[in-house]
C-alpha cells in the first residue's frame, strides 16, 4: 500500500500536463470538437514524461524530479496569460510586454525553484501526495463539466438544428433551392465570390484614413464592374455576415442559446443555400482556403484548395500554445501560414476554370486587409510584432499597405479571369465588414458605425445590361440578384438592414443611423 501511495505521489506533473488543454477546452466547449483535445494532450504529456525521466536520471529522486517538472509546467503555461495581459504596457519609453523583459523573471523563478528542490533536505513525499491529490481533483472537476455538457448535447446538433423555428425553409419560404433545365447547365457562367476580409468602402477610407482608393475603383469600373458606393454589411462580424450572405437571409431569428450551444451558424455556413443552389444547377463547388479553423469541410465542396493541415490548424492547439511560453514560436508560424494562405488564394483564383468541364462556383475568403498586417504595399513580408498584434487593428499604415497589396493582387486576378471575353464569369468582390480602428461599440454614432459597417462591394455581371441601383445594397441580397439575373429565379429582394451586436446575444437595428443624411 505504501508503495502504491509513493507511486501516486509523483503523478502531479503528468496530471498537470493535462490541465491547460482540458481547462481551455472546458471554457470553449461550445465552439470546439472533443477530437481537438487529442493532439495537444499527447504532445504535452509526452514532453512532461520525457523531461521527468531526464531530470530523474540527473538528480536520482522521484519527488524532487516531479516538483521540478510541475514548476516548469506552471511557469510555462502562466507565461502566455501574463504576456497577453501586459502586452502593449509601457514603462517610460520601454515596452515591457516584449519577450526579453518577461522571460527574465520567469527564468529566474525556474532557476531559484529548481535550486531549492535539488538542495532541500526536506522529505517531499507528503507534499508530493497532496499536490497530486489537488491536481487530480481539479482534473476530475473539469472532466465532469465537459462530460455533463457533451452528454446533454449528444443529439442537439442534429435533432434541434432543423425545427419549425430554425429551418431555413419554414423561416423564409422564399429561400429554397431550385432545379434548372439540364440543357441550360453548360450555358451558365462561372461564378467567383471573393471576400476581402475587413475591406472598408472607398468613401470611408478617404474620410477616416485619408487614403484615396480611386485608382482601384476606377480600374474596376473600367473593367465593367458595378461598384456600389453605398454598400454596408448586414452584420459587423465575419461569421454572421458571411453566413447571412450565403443563405440570403437575416439571422436575427437565432437565439443566443442556438448560436452557442447548437452551433447553427456553423451548420448554416457549410450547408448554405447558395452552394446548394449552385450544386443543383450542375455546378462544381470550389472552396479556396477555409478561413475559420472551426468550420469543417462540407459535402457540397468538390474541391478544397490551399487547405491547411487539419491537426495543426486546430483552434485548441493554437490556444494552448498561446497560453504557453512557446507563444513567440506560434506567432512566427502563424505569420508564415497566413501569408502563404493569402498568396495561395490569389495564385489559385484564376486557375480553377481549367479543372472542370462543368460551370464552377468559386468561394474565396481572403484574410486581407484584416490584421495581422503581413504584407507591404508591393507584397513584401512584414512582421506583426506580437501575438496581440495578430488581432489588433491599431496600425493604420499597416492597414493601408494591406489595402494596396490586395488591390494589386485583385487586379491581377481580374485580368486573368477576364482574359477570355467569350467566357466571362460573374465576379463578386465584397468585404464581410469594415475595420475596427477606435470603434466604440457602446456608442451608436454614425462615425463609429460607418467605420465598421461600410464595405467594398463590386459586381461583374456579364450579359446584364442594366446597372445595379445606386441605392444602398447589402450582401444579404447579393445572390438573390445573381440567381434572378442568370437562373430565372424569382427571389424577392429583402429590405436592406444593418445590425450591430447588442450585449444580450441579439442585434440592434442601426439602418436609420447609417442611411440618414
Amino acid at each position: 500500500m505504501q508503495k502504491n501511495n509513493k507511486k501516486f505521489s509523483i503523478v502531479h506533473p503528468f496530471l498537470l500536463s493535462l490541465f491547460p488543454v482540458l481547462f481551455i477546452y472546458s471554457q470553449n466547449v461550445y465552439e470546439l470538437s472533443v477530437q481537438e483535445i487529442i493532439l495537444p494532450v499527447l504532445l504535452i504529456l509526452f514532453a512532461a514524461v520525457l523531461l521527468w525521466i531526464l531530470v530523474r536520471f540527473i538528480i536520482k529522486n522521484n519527488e524532487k524530479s516531479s516538483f521540478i517538472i510541475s514548476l516548469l509546467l506552471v511557469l510555462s503555461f502562466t507565461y502566455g496569460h501574463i504576456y497577453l495581459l501586459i502586452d502593449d504596457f509601457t514603462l517610460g519609453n520601454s515596452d515591457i510586454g516584449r519577450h526579453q523583459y518577461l522571460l527574465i523573471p520567469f527564468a529566474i523563478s525556474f532557476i531559484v525553484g529548481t535550486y531549492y528542490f535539488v538542495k532541500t533536505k526536506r522529505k517531499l513525499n507528503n507534499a508530493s501526495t497532496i499536490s497530486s491529490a489537488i491536481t487530480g481533483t481539479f482534473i476530475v472537476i473539469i472532466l465532469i463539466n465537459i462530460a455533463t455538457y457533451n452528454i446533454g448535447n449528444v443529439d442537439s446538433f442534429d435533432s434541434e438544428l432543423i425545427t419549425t423555428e430554425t429551418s431555413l425553409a419554414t423561416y423564409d419560404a422564399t429561400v429554397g433551392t431550385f432545379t434548372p433545365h439540364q440543357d441550360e447547365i453548360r450555358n451558365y457562367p462561372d461564378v467567383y465570390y471573393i471576400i476581402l476580409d475587413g475591406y472598408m468602402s472607398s468613401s470611408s477610407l478617404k474620410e477616416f484614413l485619408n487614403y484615396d482608393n480611386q485608382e482601384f475603383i476606377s480600374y474596376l469600373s473600367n473593367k465593367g464592374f458595378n461598384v456600389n458606393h453605398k454598400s454596408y454589411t448586414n452584420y459587423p462580424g465575419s461569421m454572421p455576415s458571411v453566413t447571412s450572405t450565403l443563405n440570403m437571409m437575416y439571422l436575427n431569428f437565432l437565439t443566443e442559446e442556438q448560436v452557442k450551444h447548437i452551433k447553427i451558424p456553423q451548420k448554416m455556413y457549410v450547408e448554405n443555400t447558395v452552394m446548394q443552389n449552385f450544386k443543383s444547377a450542375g455546378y462544381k463547388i470550389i472552396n479556396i482556403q477555409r478561413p475559420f479553423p472551426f468550420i469543417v469541410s462540407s459535402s457540397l465542396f468538390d474541391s478544397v484548395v490551399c487547405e491547411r493541415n487539419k491537426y495543426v490548424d486546430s483552434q485548441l492547439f493554437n490556444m494552448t500554445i498561446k497560453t504557453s511560453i512557446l507563444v513567440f514560436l506560434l506567432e512566427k508560424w502563424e505569420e508564415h501560414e497566413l501569408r502563404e494562405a493569402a498568396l495561395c488564394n490569389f495564385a489559385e483564383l484564376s486557375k480553377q476554370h481549367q479543372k472542370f468541364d462543368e460551370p464552377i462556383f468559386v468561394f474565396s475568403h481572403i484574410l486581407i486587409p484584416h490584421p495581422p498586417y503581413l504584407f507591404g504595399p508591393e507584397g513584401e513580408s512584414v512582421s506583426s510584432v506580437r501575438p496581440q498584434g495578430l488581432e489588433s487593428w491599431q496600425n493604420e499604415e499597416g492597414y493601408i499597405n494591406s489595402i494596396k497589396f490586395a488591390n494589386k493582387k485583385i487586379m491581377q486576378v481580374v485580368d486573368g479571369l477576364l482574359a477570355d471575353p467569350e467566357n466571362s464569369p460573374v465576379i463578386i468582390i465584397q468585404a464581410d465588414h469594415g475595420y475596427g480602428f477606435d470603434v466604440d461599440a457602446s456608442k451608436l454614432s454614425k462615425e463609429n458605425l460607418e467605420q465598421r459597417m461600410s464595405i467594398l462591394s463590386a459586381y461583374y455581371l456579364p450579359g446584364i445590361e442594366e446597372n445595379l441601383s445606386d441605392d444602398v445594397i447589402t450582401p444579404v441580397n447579393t445572390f438573390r440578384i445573381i440567381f434572378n439575373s442568370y437562373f430565372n429565379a424569382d427571389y424577392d429582394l429583402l429590405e436592406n438592414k444593418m445590425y450591430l451586436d447588442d450585449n444580450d446575444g441579439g442585434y440592434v437595428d442601426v439602418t436609420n443611423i447609417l442611411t440618414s443624411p
Side-chain angles (χ1 to χ4, degrees), residues 6-40:
K6 190 171 182 180
K7 287 182 178 180
F8 173 75
S9 71
I10 64 171
V11 301
H12 56 87
F14 312 121
L15 293 173
L16 200 57
S17 68
L18 308 178
F19 184 81
V21 179
L22 294 178
F23 178 75
I24 293 173
Y25 176 76
S26 69
Q27 298 300 301
N28 300 274
V29 66
Y30 305 138
E31 301 178 13
L32 302 172
S33 64
V34 69
Q35 291 87 348
E36 290 194 54
I37 292 176
I38 299 173
L39 179 62

Side-chain angles (χ1 to χ4, degrees), residues 138-157:
F138 280 123
I139 295 294
V140 168
I141 292 172
I142 291 175
L143 289 175
I144 290 173
N145 289 335
I146 292 173
T148 301
Y149 169 79
N150 285 317
I151 291 173
N153 292 274
V154 168
D155 298 318
S156 65
F157 187 81

Side-chain angles (χ1 to χ4, degrees), residues 177-178 185 188-193 246 268-290 295-307 348-349 352-353 355-365 479 482-483 487:
T177 59
F178 53 79
I185 290 177
Y188 290 147
D190 293 340
V191 180
Y192 291 79
Y193 181 39
L246 290 177
M268 292 174 66
Y269 182 100
V270 297
E271 298 182 5
N272 61 81
T273 304
V274 166
M275 291 185 187
Q276 289 185 44
N277 271 354
F278 281 116
K279 199 76 172 179
S280 68
Y283 275 67
K284 296 296 184 181
I285 310 297
I286 300 170
N287 182 21
I288 304 183
Q289 177 54 42
R290 57 188 176 89
I295 297 299
V296 297
S297 186
S298 170
S299 59
L300 294 173
F301 301 157
D302 294 289
S303 175
V304 179
V305 185
C306 306
E307 190 170 26
E348 291 292 332
L349 268 167
Q352 300 310 307
H353 69 281
K355 299 180 179 180
F356 298 98
D357 294 329
E358 300 86 348
I360 59 174
F361 172 67
V362 180
F363 175 68
S364 174
H365 188 155
F479 287 98
I482 299 302
F483 291 131
F487 299 86

